[in-house]
Amino acid sequence: MKNLFHKIGTATLLSAAFLFAGCEPEFEDDVVVSQGSLDLSKYVAIGNSLTAGYQDNGLYLEGQLQSYPNILANQFRYVGGGDFTQPLFSAGQENGSGYIRLSGFTSSGLPILQPVTNNLATESASNPFFKDEYTGPVQNLGIPGIRMEHVTVAGYGSSQGNPYFERITADGTATNPTAPLQSYVQRVAASGATFFTMWLGNNDVLGYATSGGQVAITSDANFQGSLNAIMSVLPAKGVVINIPDVTSVPFFTTKATAAIMAQAQAAGTRLFITAGDGAVRPATAEDYVLLTSRVGEPDNLGGTQVPHGFTPNNPLGNGEVLDAAEVTNVKNATTRFNTMLSTAATAKNVAYADMNAYFNSIKPGLVINGVRHTPAFITGNIFSLDGVHLTPRGYAIVANELLKIINAKYGATVPTIDVTQFRAVRIP
């Protein structure tokens, strides 16, 4: 199917239908669009927090509306794509799980982050399960926290499982008592998708990385077995998205170890860490100080205030740093898992999105419509306040990259979108 679209009129109508008021596709002149060999009548998004639209350390309504699957679905409408349903938080619960916002900066320029805890959809700020289930059909199956190794786990959507999957999984009834035992793979199989995107596997290494090596990496056998299971229920056309280099995101790069070491040396001291083996040693440039570390904050040692991390008696804790050996573990696991994902995509003859290569390519920065973007924390426009997940603009950038890959693989001409119409971090 081919359609001729004009910039004014149809574009605005479709954008408004998906609550992207003012976000128009990149039509410079009349353009012919085509679905190529695709059937986009029922698009289903499979994945984790990135797919759900998670940002600023939480999932809330604005993030859901500007998730990359919703952006894709909006663009698919130009070539005959069908409706796309997300489990949106309702009015009065629009802040979802809660999140963090930037309220200002200290006198030394450090960001002040405050939790948003009103209008939550969860039982409370400390209880992550949700007050209300979303019982309607769902096409955005992004589940924050899910690993590849979780997709076959029976009961993952029960009250003993993942709160986000529990929210969209039916309770047991007299006629269907085992409903909560439905696995993620079974849910995907029942979706009736004609096209899919799948961005799974990040959490199988990310949990290890963000915990400073204290949470296990998924075993190769579990990853491969679970990948085989979910690939077997996917439709014939879609995109498999690989795992970015998690150590390249602001959570690991903002408190740059080399810069901290240089500051310590200038002050006549050194930075000390607790490595994964429990040993306390001077830091090296190959160690990553985490965004959540308390490096430099004052500690009371025997009645004396000392900056955290700058004596062997007060080193950074194991959970505050990803040491060099742990960095190697993350990179090796990412390479192995991405090889499995690439092999699976090739075997199924579906598109493969190498987001690992893409995010590495934009480390020096890129300019889009005259606006500079980098991976820098807060000022880079791409990453949200948790240093791991993307801003709405970052998700729009991902959507555009996926559209280019989809168009190339399936002979389609789905229009991309002007990413600069999506917000970055809000600066008060």
Side-chain angles (χ1 to χ4, degrees), residues 90-107:
S90 59
Q93 299 184 5
E94 64 271 15
N95 291 331
S97 65
Y99 59 98
I100 53 176
R101 68 179 182 89
L102 180 64
S103 61
F105 296 89
T106 67
S107 58

Side-chain angles (χ1 to χ4, degrees), residues 43 47 136 139 144 155 201 243 271 376 413:
Y43 161 47
Q139 289 165 257
I243 306 168
L271 175 65
T413 50

